[in-house]
Amino acid sequence: MPVGPYQSPLAFISDAELDAHHAAQPVDYQAAPQPAGLKLRGVEKRFGDNLVLRGLDLDVPAGQFLAIVGKSGCGKSTLLRLLVGLDEPTGGRIEFVDEEGEAAEPNSRIVFQEPRLLPWFSVADNVAVGLGDGVPKAFGRREAERALKGVQLSEKSKEWPSKLSGGQRQRVALARALVSRPGLLALDEPLGALDALTRIGMQDLVTNVWRELGFTAVLVTHDVAEAVHLADRVIVLDEGRISLDLEIPRDQPRRHGDPVLAELEGSLLDTILGKA
Amino acid sequence: MTTVDTFSEGRSLRRIREDRTPSAAIGYSDPPKGAAEKAARANDGKPRRPRSVSGVALLPFLLPVTLVLLWQAGSSFGFISDRIMPSPVAVVAAFWERLLSGELARDVGVSGARALSGLLIGGSIGFLLGIANGVSKLSEQLTDTTLQMLRTIPHLAMIPLVILWFGIGEEAKLFLTSLGVLFPIYLNTYHGVKNVDRDLIEMGRIYGMSGWSLFRKVIFPGALPSIFVGLRYALGIMWLTLIVSETIAANSGIGYMANTAREFMMTDVVVLALVIYAVLGKLADVIARTLERAALSWNPAYQR
């Protein structure tokens, strides 16, 4: 299956400028992404008296696409924030492992429900933010252009974010997360605010970049259909515990309306709503 | 393989393009765009401009021009005494005379320099305090209450004390002007920094920004709209303070010019001083607005 017109932000060209830069400043921006696996042991998160996560054990192999679903307030967003280091667990531990199972330092990124673009930066500059500080300007600009091409927004690179539609803004946010080639990409209901058709386009885009770049993806969503469509594996979180762990036995790309997926979706919904 | 350009995205792209066509720019926004444009071009092949553009542009000047004409007529026919109010022509004559003698340039220069240095000193202090208190909890707790307390004292009430401290020299004017502009700039900078979107700051931290780079890329641009409000407010206070302090005691500047003229009953020069203040005030505001527009061009509220 060809992956279409998608161009990897990883597909670096080694032209003279870049070589010169690397000679002068031996930082390895081109390091291949190391998908980071996750090992959670008894992870607990407490806000005051409120125990949001109750001793989670979870193994996510490197490169897997994991979806976490559950009712609102089940702790799925809290878990995601722990995974990318936005919060610290109050108990248990989170370890990151590489493909061989060795401990690894993950390069993790998160995409939120709202795009969180800097309105005073152009689209390309917003994407370049993803490369972090101290990156040479010319390099940053070229990488940003490349990542924008990846999310099919090249023609918007010089626009202000305020000129973009909601779906386009979210694509910029995705490009910003991908430009640094993360080993772990956390997606916190990234498509929640989009209309149905834009959503389908974005789902395909997410599938494409994941297949292309091979990072570990953790998607939090309340849309069970979306979880089943995108993920290798879906876990259901209920009152801070994993109440269901389900493999999705279908190769990507998946067709919308696949009966096997529809059946999985139904049983997942039953579990979440407590009818099973 | 499905591409991302689902037709919903495609449609919104097209809509953005359509918005940029000239027909939209001059206010035809009804659906049959092609038709509207054709109608607009029907005359002589050029898009028709709305007829009333020049009329609308001149409208704000109608009232002041009429008032000046009435004033001149009142003076010319002897309804208004020269001792109470000079005629506009007399004011223009006074302007011309002082322009030629070089007094005007000197006085305006002196006043302008006072205003600017006051703004620079007071503005910088207010700006730095506003940033510091917006960013640092410690600094806020140390100084904010004090500043809020001092802010409520009308700075012109300090004049007797200021004269005792500095006499009637430049320092007194500089001190008063600085004090006057400090607070609006402080308050608005502080408010701007405090109100920068927390989500954006969190995003910045996730992407490895901290300290200076977080300030430069997120906090300062986010606070800028509010800082500009403070600046424009401060400009008003700057002129006000300067006028008052120059009128009390000075040996140069526009206020001095007006005060001396009063002693000799030269009402034309007094009115000239008022006009100059008005023009300088407007000029400062125009400059601030231009800066604002340039610096905030990303903000939809300032586009076009």
Side-chain angles (χ1 to χ4, degrees):
Chain A
M1 187 72 200
V3 192
Y6 175 72
Q7 279 242 334
S8 163
L10 286 177
F12 283 83
I13 47 164
S14 55
D15 61 80
E17 194 185 0
L18 199 57
D19 289 346
H21 163 69
H22 279 264
Q25 195 179 341
V27 177
D28 195 5
Y29 294 112
Q30 298 193 67
Q34 281 287 324
L38 291 162
K39 233 183 203 169
L40 279 69
R41 290 294 174 267
V43 168
E44 211 178 79
K45 180 68 182 176
R46 182 190 291 276
F47 294 102
D49 288 338
N50 189 11
L51 195 57
V52 180
L53 297 176
R54 298 158 191 264
L56 285 186
D57 293 319
L58 180 66
D59 281 292
V60 184
Q64 190 172 58
F65 199 130
L66 174 76
I68 307 173
V69 295
K71 288 184 213 164
S72 46
C74 70
K76 52 190 195 295
S77 287
T78 307
L79 175 59
L80 202 65
R81 291 176 70 87
L82 296 183
L83 295 185
V84 295
L86 278 176
D87 284 321
E88 292 290 323
T90 42
R93 53 180 208 281
I94 299 175
E95 285 167 14
F96 298 95
V97 291
D98 61 17
E99 280 159 305
E100 280 76 48
E102 304 279 312
E105 198 59 38
N107 171 17
S108 51
R109 291 288 182 236
I110 184 166
V111 177
F112 297 97
Q113 179 167 359
E114 38 336 316
R116 302 200 187 180
L117 304 179
L118 296 172
W120 41 85
F121 275 10
S122 72
V123 164
D125 287 344
N126 262 294
V127 175
V129 162
L131 290 166
D133 281 332
V135 172
K137 239 187 167 123
F139 172 81
R141 200 163 296 146
R142 198 171 47 228
E143 280 312 287
E145 293 289 345
R146 213 190 293 278
L148 278 169
K149 211 171 185 180
V151 298
Q152 302 171 16
L153 270 182
S154 290
E155 77 282 7
K156 296 285 177 193
S157 68
K158 292 190 171 61
E159 295 278 9
W160 298 119
S162 61
K163 299 268 187 198
L164 268 49
S165 72
Q168 290 170 338
R169 282 179 211 176
Q170 204 56 312
R171 267 146 67 187
V172 177
L174 186 62
R176 180 180 60 193
L178 293 174
V179 73
S180 62
R181 283 148 283 129
L184 171 68
L185 183 67
L187 301 147
D188 191 0
E189 306 210 13
L191 315 180
L194 305 179
D195 67 85
L197 292 170
T198 309
R199 239 181 134 124
I200 292 174
M202 279 294 281
Q203 288 174 355
D204 292 337
L205 180 70
V206 170
T207 305
N208 283 356
V209 292
W210 172 68
R211 276 155 49 95
E212 186 87 0
L213 300 183
F215 48 82
T216 308
V218 181
L219 168 75
V220 156
T221 180
H222 51 235
D223 182 345
V224 176
E226 182 170 288
V228 168
H229 184 70
L230 291 175
D232 291 334
R233 173 182 174 198
V234 180
I235 59 173
V236 178
L237 221 53
D238 190 23
E239 297 190 345
R241 287 199 186 83
I242 296 172
S243 64
L244 186 71
D245 190 335
L246 194 69
E247 298 278 337
I248 308 292
R250 271 284 197 268
D251 282 339
Q252 292 283 10
R254 295 171 185 157
R255 204 166 50 80
H256 287 273
D258 182 327
V260 177
L261 296 180
E263 199 169 312
L264 284 169
E265 185 188 333
S267 65
L268 272 168
L269 271 173
D270 286 345
T271 311
I272 294 167
L273 300 173
K275 287 177 191 161
Chain B
M1 172 72 45
T2 328
T3 63
V4 199
D5 241 336
T6 63
F7 66 88
S8 95
E9 283 294 335
R11 192 188 53 203
S12 68
L13 290 186
R14 204 151 49 237
R15 195 169 61 233
I16 288 166
R17 285 195 198 103
E18 275 165 7
D19 283 348
R20 291 204 187 114
T21 58
S23 66
I26 50 171
Y28 298 103
S29 52
D30 285 339
K33 301 220 182 247
E37 222 175 306
K38 246 179 253 163
R41 288 170 195 280
N43 265 354
D44 46 16
K46 287 178 199 160
R48 187 167 19 131
R49 301 261 156 217
R51 231 173 268 155
S52 57
V53 159
S54 57
V56 168
L58 289 179
L59 204 58
F61 296 100
L62 182 66
L63 188 63
V65 167
T66 313
L67 282 176
V68 169
L69 286 178
L70 281 176
W71 172 16
Q72 179 63 48
S75 295
S76 302
F77 293 113
F79 296 120
I80 305 171
S81 154
D82 261 6
R83 304 192 135 206
I84 307 291
M85 195 73 175
S87 75
V89 172
V91 175
V92 172
F95 167 72
W96 189 244
E97 189 192 309
R98 287 183 173 251
L99 187 69
L100 290 186
S101 74
E103 284 171 86
L104 189 69
R106 198 199 66 206
D107 285 332
V108 169
V110 166
S111 288
R114 279 174 189 152
L116 220 69
S117 45
L119 179 70
L120 221 63
I121 294 173
S124 315
I125 297 173
F127 175 74
L128 291 177
L129 280 172
I131 297 285
N133 290 2
V135 173
S136 148
K137 197 84 197 156
L138 177 71
S139 167
E140 183 186 4
Q141 284 179 331
L142 270 176
T143 60
D144 186 56
T145 313
T146 313
L147 284 166
Q148 300 290 351
M149 220 152 59
L150 289 177
R151 166 176 85 84
T152 56
I153 304 172
H155 66 292
L156 293 177
M158 301 273 291
I159 286 176
L161 206 54
V162 166
I163 291 177
L164 285 177
W165 287 349
F166 300 108
I168 55 167
E170 290 303 309
E171 298 91 342
K173 294 172 197 68
L174 198 62
F175 180 81
L176 278 174
T177 319
S178 304
L179 195 66
V181 299
L182 193 156
F183 294 110
I185 295 205
Y186 165 72
L187 281 179
N188 285 285
T189 306
Y190 174 66
H191 175 263
V193 172
K194 279 272 160 194
N195 280 285
V196 174
D197 191 343
R198 295 290 119 184
D199 284 354
L200 288 184
I201 294 178
E202 187 184 63
M203 183 281 297
R205 289 195 193 281
I206 294 170
Y207 284 100
M209 292 181 204
S210 59
W212 171 241
S213 97
L214 188 67
F215 175 75
R216 190 170 55 87
K217 291 179 178 170
V218 182
I219 296 174
F220 179 68
L224 207 52
S226 180
I227 295 174
F228 269 111
V229 171
L231 176 67
R232 288 177 63 188
Y233 195 72
L235 287 176
I237 294 191
M238 172 186 86
W239 289 120
L240 175 87
T241 315
L242 195 68
I243 293 164
V244 173
S245 52
E246 280 188 347
T247 312
I248 292 164
N251 47 24
S252 59
I254 307 165
Y256 166 76
M257 178 180 97
N259 229 21
T260 325
R262 175 185 55 84
E263 284 172 21
F264 297 104
M265 298 287 281
M266 292 156 71
T267 48
D268 51 350
V269 178
V270 175
V271 173
L272 175 64
L274 298 184
V275 172
I276 291 172
Y277 275 131
V279 170
L280 286 179
K282 179 70 189 168
L283 190 70
D285 194 56
V286 167
I287 293 172
R289 262 202 220 219
T290 313
L291 284 177
E292 190 177 39
R293 224 168 255 274
L296 305 181
S297 57
W298 52 268
N299 189 328
Y302 294 94
Q303 279 157 11
R304 260 170 236 226

